Amino acid sequence: MTNSMNEALEKLKVFQPEVEEIDEREAKISVAPDRVISVLETLKSLGYSHLSLMTCVDWIEDSQFELVYILFSWRDGGKFIVSTRIDRNNPVFVTVKEIWPVARFYEREIHEFFGVEFLGNDDMKPLFLELWDDKPPLRKDFDPLEYSKRKFPGREYKKDVVAEAKRMFRGEVNG
């Protein structure tokens, strides 16, 4: 890892992160939810000032969502992936838009597609799914076929695309 990344990791020890070195310029840091804001502020103060991405992963079998923040340093090209897990049944977290104003759009997207509420972000209007009235579509328990059959009852579904995809990935379909 770069010297500045090692220095950052040394300063972050107080937050008891779980660290995974991905390569010489990238590391993943997992921390408890109550430590995320402090970790993000510390990294920003150390030059990891670009919020490249904020996203969410649905760990349905663990009843958790993983919130992921990817920070980049323009100074040395280092990247930190900061993650935390929150309760899937009560998906509420605090906004980081005061640290990175662009986060308001990432948070809106995560809210729209996973249902996570971000306290302090009052701009949760939909970005893409204006008239959506169902479970957030990127949750693993969302069933797109059931949704389509309910919303468009007159349509015929002639192909079993799931079975077809399984055959393709197993090499049973030519072409």
Side-chain angles (χ1 to χ4, degrees):
M1 261 193 258
T2 67
N3 285 339
S4 65
M5 291 183 77
N6 283 325
E7 290 170 17
L9 287 172
E10 191 61 37
K11 290 189 181 199
L12 293 174
K13 280 186 178 178
V14 68
F15 303 111
Q16 302 172 323
E18 181 180 311
V19 178
E20 176 187 346
E21 186 176 339
I22 296 170
D23 65 31
E24 64 190 31
R25 294 195 181 274
E26 186 172 356
K28 180 178 180 186
I29 301 171
S30 301
V31 293
D34 63 338
R35 296 179 178 150
V36 170
I37 300 301
S38 297
V39 167
L40 293 173
E41 289 175 335
T42 300
L43 284 170
K44 185 173 184 183
S45 74
L46 295 171
Y48 296 88
S49 58
H50 180 76
L51 178 63
S52 300
L53 180 68
M54 180 182 169
T55 191
C56 185
V57 179
D58 185 357
W59 295 99
I60 191 170
E61 62 279 353
D62 297 335
S63 289
Q64 295 180 325
F65 286 126
E66 181 179 16
L67 295 176
V68 180
Y69 303 82
I70 300 178
L71 308 180
F72 181 77
S73 169
W74 290 102
R75 186 177 60 233
D76 70 358
K79 181 171 28 170
F80 277 105
I81 301 166
V82 178
S83 77
T84 194
R85 289 194 179 203
I86 62 172
D87 183 6
R88 189 178 190 277
N89 298 315
N90 184 27
V92 178
F93 202 65
V94 294
T95 185
V96 296
K97 72 177 189 162
E98 280 77 30
I99 304 170
W100 290 283
V102 71
R104 87 176 225 239
F105 297 106
Y106 290 130
E107 291 172 355
R108 281 173 62 185
E109 183 179 27
I110 291 168
H111 173 71
E112 188 169 7
F113 288 106
F114 291 93
V116 176
E117 296 287 332
F118 289 93
L119 300 176
N121 188 342
D122 55 359
D123 184 16
M124 288 288 115
K125 64 183 178 262
L127 287 167
F128 305 104
L129 306 175
E130 282 184 52
L131 302 176
W132 191 261
D133 62 351
D134 207 306
K135 182 181 294 185
L138 291 184
R139 292 176 74 120
K140 287 187 177 175
D141 53 352
F142 174 74
D143 183 342
L145 182 58
E146 182 272 324
Y147 173 81
S148 294
K149 285 179 178 178
R150 189 175 69 252
K151 288 293 187 175
F152 311 105
R155 286 193 184 163
E156 272 189 54
Y157 298 92
K158 296 180 182 181
K159 284 186 174 183
D160 182 351
V161 294
V162 173
E164 187 175 322
K166 286 179 181 177
R167 281 195 313 274
M168 287 173 61
F169 287 115
R170 292 183 186 139
E172 298 171 16
V173 175
N174 294 325

